[in-house]
Amino acid sequence: MRKWLTTSIAVYFLYGLVVYWYLFIFSGSGVPAPYEGTAADPATFMTGREQLLSQEYSTLKNFLYFVTVPFEWFLLFVFLLTGLSRKMQEWSQATSKRSFFQSAIFFFWLSLFITLLSLPVEWIGYQISKTYHITTQSFHAWIKDQLIDFWVNYFLMALIVFVVLSLIRKFEKRWWLYAWLLSIPFSMFLMFVQPVVIDPLYNDFYPLKNKELETKILEIADRADIPAEHVYEVNMSEKTNALNAYVTGIGSNSRIVLWDTTLNKLEDEEILFIMAHEMGHYVMKHIYVGIAGYLLLSLFGLLFIHLLMEKLIQRFGPLLKINSMKELTMFPLFLLLLGVLTFASSPITNTVSRYQEKSADMYAIEMTNDHEAAIHSFQELAKTGLSQVNPPLLVKIFRYSHPTMLERIHYLEEYGEKQFDEE
């Protein structure tokens, strides 16, 4: 146990050094020479200090992300290696004879263990955002959101733990297929209730107060044959200075949502472009394409986890204190493998998402026909959020579900030049 624990700590430390070298030393800043002086060059819309802060903030956040992701895997590994998982299983079985309560008790202690040990890292991220004036949220409000996160995730995951364990005990060889089939209605249900049940736990949502702007937005929706009756705004200024807008939910519960920070800092023409972008997702059915892609990946992911767990328990069961897949004590291993596969698949999902985002951008520019407002909206998004216009390649691959600001502004500039030439 000491050997494996020492090795894992050493590997994690070396990984952190490699990430530090890549982000702070190897990766350059700025934009390629052909883009200097263009609208995509931060020097044209940011002050020297803003450019410096953007580079510092983005690099720190990227470093924290890459070292945090495997940190949870490391904690799950320690939970198994030290026998804590085995002891928690024995304690939960001694507390109740019902399988559901055993699962709930076991996962509560596992969640508490991970949350408490991860809290300092989360706090560092909060402090970084606070220092660079991205986060405006008070510490009290931040802790409140952490508690909401804990309980929402706990209740959802406790249910999943119980269902998956029940399927494994009943269908040891085919549990992954039945779990996937059940995940389809479960995922659809979550997407349906999220806008009206989960999201309001964190923020206040209400119809757009600016009725004149809402009328303009609904006119674009009508041209796009979108049956929209309301646009929602959410009170985010008490938490952040960043700008955002998004589409959430499915069916009758789908919503187009604007952050109030976006309303406060952008002109109407720029907001109309952003809204047209979100409508583009609806028109091109990106939500449903995303659901289909998620379900396809999850099918192969669950099968792969099943095969890996069989091999790992067979070979390393005594070391990890796992006798079979039918035990509660195997769940840290299940979550560890799920986390690794999710991270490994992120380049694929991000690539698809970036393609969809570009399609929505082009749809929006065709609907609004105002490339200057579009470019300025992206410049303001980068400036306000201290975002890197041209991030390092690995950051883009693993973190960016949207095209980089360099790419977005560049193809909008090209669109404007093409339009000017045609005129």
Side-chain angles (χ1 to χ4, degrees):
M1 184 184 72
R2 288 197 199 97
K3 177 184 175 182
W4 277 90
L5 192 58
T6 303
T7 302
S8 61
I9 292 173
V11 169
Y12 182 65
F13 180 73
L14 289 174
Y15 165 80
L17 288 178
V18 171
V19 171
Y20 181 88
W21 170 81
Y22 177 76
L23 293 175
F24 287 89
I25 300 173
F26 176 77
S27 300
S29 59
V31 298
Y35 300 96
E36 291 179 358
T38 68
D41 185 352
T44 64
F45 59 90
M46 287 186 185
T47 65
R49 177 170 173 74
E50 286 171 338
Q51 292 177 64
L52 178 63
L53 292 176
S54 172
Q55 180 66 23
E56 289 178 355
Y57 175 72
S58 297
T59 304
L60 285 171
K61 292 292 284 187
N62 289 332
F63 177 75
L64 193 65
Y65 169 79
F66 281 109
V67 298
T68 299
V69 169
F71 181 64
E72 184 170 322
W73 309 342
F74 172 73
L75 292 179
L76 290 167
F77 181 65
V78 170
F79 200 76
L80 288 166
L81 198 63
T82 58
L84 278 173
S85 185
R86 168 65 56 182
K87 290 178 180 178
M88 287 301 102
Q89 174 182 272
E90 293 171 353
W91 188 78
S92 62
Q93 289 173 340
T95 304
S96 175
K97 293 183 179 180
R98 294 183 177 274
S99 178
F100 175 78
F101 292 113
Q102 290 176 2
S103 300
I105 293 168
F106 176 87
F107 193 71
F108 173 79
W109 289 111
L110 176 61
S111 299
L112 191 63
F113 172 80
I114 299 295
T115 300
L116 290 178
L117 291 180
S118 300
L119 193 61
V121 180
E122 297 291 333
W123 180 80
I124 291 172
Y126 164 74
Q127 285 297 318
I128 291 173
S129 294
K130 190 87 170 176
T131 300
Y132 285 86
H133 304 291
I134 301 299
T135 294
T136 59
Q137 191 175 26
S138 67
F139 180 74
H140 176 267
W142 179 77
I143 285 292
K144 178 184 175 183
D145 278 356
Q146 295 298 308
L147 288 172
I148 293 173
D149 273 343
F150 175 83
W151 288 111
V152 169
N153 292 331
Y154 167 70
F155 284 119
L156 290 176
M157 286 302 300
L159 177 61
I160 292 172
V161 167
F162 170 70
V163 171
V164 170
L165 187 62
S166 298
L167 290 173
I168 291 175
R169 287 172 174 172
K170 193 169 184 178
F171 312 103
E172 188 172 1
K173 297 298 181 182
R174 292 285 183 270
W175 69 267
W176 55 272
L177 178 60
Y178 298 117
W180 178 77
L181 291 172
L182 287 175
S183 75
I184 298 174
F186 183 70
S187 299
M188 299 293 283
F189 173 74
L190 282 183
M191 292 192 69
F192 186 78
V193 302
Q194 180 180 338
V196 294
V197 177
I198 298 176
D199 289 348
L201 294 174
Y202 297 88
N203 300 101
D204 295 325
F205 292 78
Y206 33 80
L208 187 60
K209 295 175 183 177
N210 186 337
K211 295 305 176 185
E212 182 179 347
L213 177 59
E214 184 179 48
T215 299
K216 294 178 182 178
I217 294 172
L218 293 178
E219 285 176 358
I220 297 177
D222 183 61
R223 284 164 48 202
D225 294 323
I226 298 174
E229 296 182 2
H230 295 289
V231 177
Y232 290 86
E233 62 177 283
V234 55
N235 179 20
M236 289 297 294
S237 55
E238 62 183 18
K239 293 185 177 183
T240 182
N241 284 318
L243 313 182
N244 198 13
Y246 60 90
V247 176
T248 186
I250 57 173
S252 60
N253 275 13
S254 60
R255 288 182 175 183
I256 298 175
V257 180
L258 267 167
W259 286 12
D260 62 342
T261 51
T262 304
L263 291 165
N264 295 335
K265 295 179 181 180
L266 295 185
E267 301 295 331
D268 283 4
E269 292 76 14
E270 295 155 5
I271 293 173
L272 290 176
F273 170 78
I274 291 174
M275 287 292 93
H277 169 98
E278 300 304 335
M279 293 174 193
H281 287 304
Y282 180 93
V283 170
M284 290 179 276
K285 296 180 171 50
H286 286 165
I287 292 176
Y288 298 100
V289 172
I291 293 172
Y294 160 76
L295 291 175
L296 182 63
L297 281 175
S298 64
L299 173 61
F300 288 104
L302 286 170
L303 172 59
F304 197 38
I305 287 173
H306 168 70
L307 296 174
L308 278 175
M309 285 179 62
E310 279 190 330
K311 296 295 183 183
L312 289 173
I313 292 173
Q314 182 180 359
R315 183 170 181 180
F316 299 107
L319 176 70
L320 301 175
K321 317 298 188 293
I322 304 173
N323 296 325
S324 78
M325 287 176 59
K326 297 181 179 181
E327 296 183 308
L328 271 170
T329 191
M330 67 83 188
F331 256 96
L333 178 61
F334 173 86
L335 294 175
L336 192 160
L337 294 176
L338 179 63
V340 171
L341 290 177
T342 300
F343 180 76
S345 66
S346 59
I348 299 172
T349 57
N350 285 340
T351 299
V352 174
S353 178
R354 286 194 296 269
Y355 173 80
Q356 291 180 336
E357 294 297 334
K358 181 176 180 178
S359 299
D361 282 345
M362 301 316 295
Y363 176 88
I365 198 65
E366 289 173 4
M367 288 292 288
T368 60
N369 199 30
D370 191 344
H371 77 282
E372 289 185 6
I375 289 173
H376 188 264
S377 67
F378 286 142
Q379 290 175 335
E380 193 63 30
L381 282 168
K383 182 177 178 178
T384 308
L386 294 181
S387 303
Q388 279 181 305
V389 170
N390 186 36
L393 179 61
L394 290 181
V395 173
K396 174 186 172 181
I397 291 173
F398 283 96
R399 296 207 66 189
Y400 274 53
S401 59
H402 292 60
T404 66
M405 286 301 179
L406 176 70
E407 294 167 337
R408 300 180 91 171
I409 294 174
H410 177 63
Y411 59 64
L412 287 174
E413 267 196 316
E414 285 186 329
Y415 179 90
E417 291 172 359
K418 179 181 177 182
Q419 193 178 46
F420 178 79
D421 291 340
E422 289 176 353
E423 292 176 356

